[in-house]
Amino acid sequence: MPETPAPETIIITGASDGIGAAAARALSARGRTVVIVGRSPEKTAKVADALGADHFVADFSKLSEVRKLAAELRERYPRIDVLANNAGGIFGDRTITEDGHELTLQVNHLAPFLLTTLLMDRLILSKTRVINTSSVANLGGNIIIDDLDLATRFSPGRAYSNAKLDNILFTTELARRFGAEGITTASFHPGVVASNFASDSRSPLRVIYRSVLRHTLISSEKGADTLVWLATTTPGSDWTSGEYYIKRKPGRTNRQADDAQLASALWERSAAMVAPPVE
């Protein structure tokens, strides 16, 4: 008898709550081996324990923890079938991390960029699908390559919109650079989900998420639907690598999302920003 293939291994960041946890539950129910990554030790362990899954704790506001996470994943998993870069958030006043970067940019873009590139040889070997959680907020972005940290004209909403546009540009450039080596990738908007998103922010989104309007928001399970779809279907036939999706269909993006020169420049600038400090 032929051997039964091992279940696919799917790593999900930001999986201790919200759509990440919902996606983990849905994928585990479909027989996938899910790996839970989160910031809170207690919440991350709780989600993982309920699924009998491995879990890792990493705070994306610290690039040293992202490097440690990448090393742990490389050691534990010889094959990674799906990497879902789902961790993110919108925050309050402009905050600079210990790595010297604006917090929103680092958590939403630089940290997943670093994690992905540190795992790149493993991802190529596995012909991994890389799924990046973006947002319709990308439509409000305006990226200035020499001011990614928004030293001027900062607002929580502007920082978040730019970071979500960064996710889309990262996706398209990842497909361009590594598509020939077997990597496929997509970004998506989960919808406006009833979760703890924006709880650390002073933006208008925080009011919506804590107000009576909360009942109009969609569930985490519905928000996770497109992530689960991308993780379980076939790129090239069910979806196109490098594209951005809303409700399983190609979505409208910011005009800058089609700027190939900007995507390349963002990749190079991001690589320089996450480079380890010189001893």
Side-chain angles (χ1 to χ4, degrees), residues 143-158:
I143 294 174
I144 299 172
I145 202 68
D146 292 325
D147 190 21
L148 295 180
D149 284 314
L150 285 181
T152 60
R153 300 183 65 239
F154 175 87
S155 73
R158 183 175 293 115

Side-chain angles (χ1 to χ4, degrees), residues 17-49:
D17 201 354
I19 68 167
R25 290 189 291 267
L27 291 165
S28 180
R30 295 182 184 212
R32 272 57 170 190
T33 298
V34 296
V35 180
I36 309 298
V37 179
R39 183 181 64 172
S40 164
E42 295 79 14
K43 292 168 65 177
T44 303
K46 182 177 180 180
V47 172
D49 289 348

Side-chain angles (χ1 to χ4, degrees), residues 52-130:
D54 291 345
H55 71 277
F56 299 85
V57 174
D59 182 347
F60 278 17
S61 71
K62 301 175 181 179
L63 294 182
S64 61
E65 295 199 14
V66 179
R67 295 186 183 96
K68 179 174 180 288
L69 171 64
E72 291 172 336
L73 294 175
R74 290 174 63 87
E75 181 178 357
R76 183 76 65 88
Y77 306 104
R79 180 175 183 85
I80 299 170
D81 295 282
V82 177
L83 171 62
N85 289 314
N86 174 67
I90 184 170
F91 306 102
D93 294 336
R94 186 173 186 267
T95 301
I96 301 301
T97 70
E98 65 181 32
D99 302 289
H101 306 301
E102 191 275 317
L103 179 62
T104 316
L105 173 73
Q106 179 161 320
V107 171
N108 289 277
H109 169 62
L110 291 178
F113 174 88
L114 177 60
L115 179 62
T116 304
T117 53
L118 287 175
L119 294 173
M120 190 60 71
D121 60 342
R122 187 64 45 84
L123 304 184
I124 291 171
L125 182 66
S126 306
K127 299 189 183 303
T128 302
R129 282 159 279 163
V130 179

